[in-house]
Amino acid sequence: MTSSLRVLGIDPGLTRCGVGIVDVDRSRRGTLVHVSVIRSSPDAEIGDRLAIVAAGIRDAIAEHRPDAVAVERVFAQQNTHTVMGTAQASGVALLIAAESGLPAATHTPSEVKAAVTGYGSADKRQVQAMIARILRLDAPPQPADAADALAIALCHAWRRGGAVAAQGALTPAQRAWAAAERVART
């Protein structure tokens, strides 16, 4: 068994798609491997924009060889145009994970926020601050899409790791996360 899990987290979007990769060891300690934002012009054709997102994700997988992929689950919002682009980028990410032979999962925004901050309704600044703290960074990742991608990766690694559940000890953030997951399933 390996001593750490490398997870590629993706905050899907057409204009800005966050890509974050972390290594998480058995003690749940996370280490930054890579973070970036794939950008495409809102004026470009949708197919070209999706190709840019796909190329960026493929490059990250080829360069960093993650063990798993985690994507933020698309949620309903008022702006249908935005949710469609997010859903399309999410589909591209999941397709590339499958083509690469990598297990993939989706996590809701409230699950991710609860995992890293202990509060499922945390704002972007709170998530950025906690990511900087968890990964021992000098400054919060910018823009927020980058921090969100890292949060998604950490959320997945902690959930998949199971080491904490096996030890029977949950942190306050993990208890809040478990509560957010229960709500999301209903």
Side-chain angles (χ1 to χ4, degrees):
M1 181 178 258
T2 62
S3 61
S4 67
L5 177 68
R6 180 166 287 184
V7 180
L8 165 59
I10 299 173
D11 181 30
L14 283 179
T15 304
R16 290 181 323 274
C17 180
V19 174
I21 302 173
V22 295
D23 284 340
V24 178
D25 66 21
R26 289 183 186 195
S27 68
R28 299 179 48 251
R29 182 179 167 108
T31 304
L32 174 67
V33 173
H34 170 80
V35 66
S36 64
V37 175
I38 303 164
R39 296 175 188 273
S40 73
S41 170
D43 299 328
E45 294 293 325
I46 186 69
D48 294 336
R49 296 178 79 188
L50 290 169
I52 290 167
V53 169
I57 294 170
R58 284 189 181 104
D59 288 348
I61 290 172
E63 184 175 344
H64 301 288
R65 308 230 180 266
D67 301 309
V69 175
V71 181
E72 185 174 84
R73 186 175 303 156
V74 178
F75 59 96
Q77 57 176 293
Q78 300 291 26
N79 187 339
T80 358
H81 182 71
T82 300
V83 81
M84 287 299 294
T86 302
Q88 290 165 330
S90 179
V92 165
L94 294 169
L95 172 67
I96 292 169
E99 287 177 346
S100 302
L102 295 170
T106 61
H107 300 282
T108 65
S110 60
E111 285 177 82
V112 173
K113 291 173 184 178
V116 298
T117 70
Y119 179 55
S121 296
D123 65 30
K124 294 226 178 254
R125 282 193 346 244
Q126 290 169 314
V127 171
Q128 287 173 298
M130 283 305 296
I131 291 303
R133 185 171 173 193
I134 291 165
L135 295 176
R136 299 163 312 282
L137 306 175
D138 293 334
Q142 297 290 339
D145 310 276
D148 289 348
L150 292 168
I152 293 160
L154 285 167
C155 171
H156 183 75
W158 290 342
R159 178 179 187 175
R160 186 165 176 232
V164 174
Q167 296 168 1
L170 295 176
T171 66
Q174 288 173 315
R175 283 193 295 276
W177 175 26
E181 282 185 310
R182 283 191 297 276
V183 170
R185 282 191 289 254
T186 59

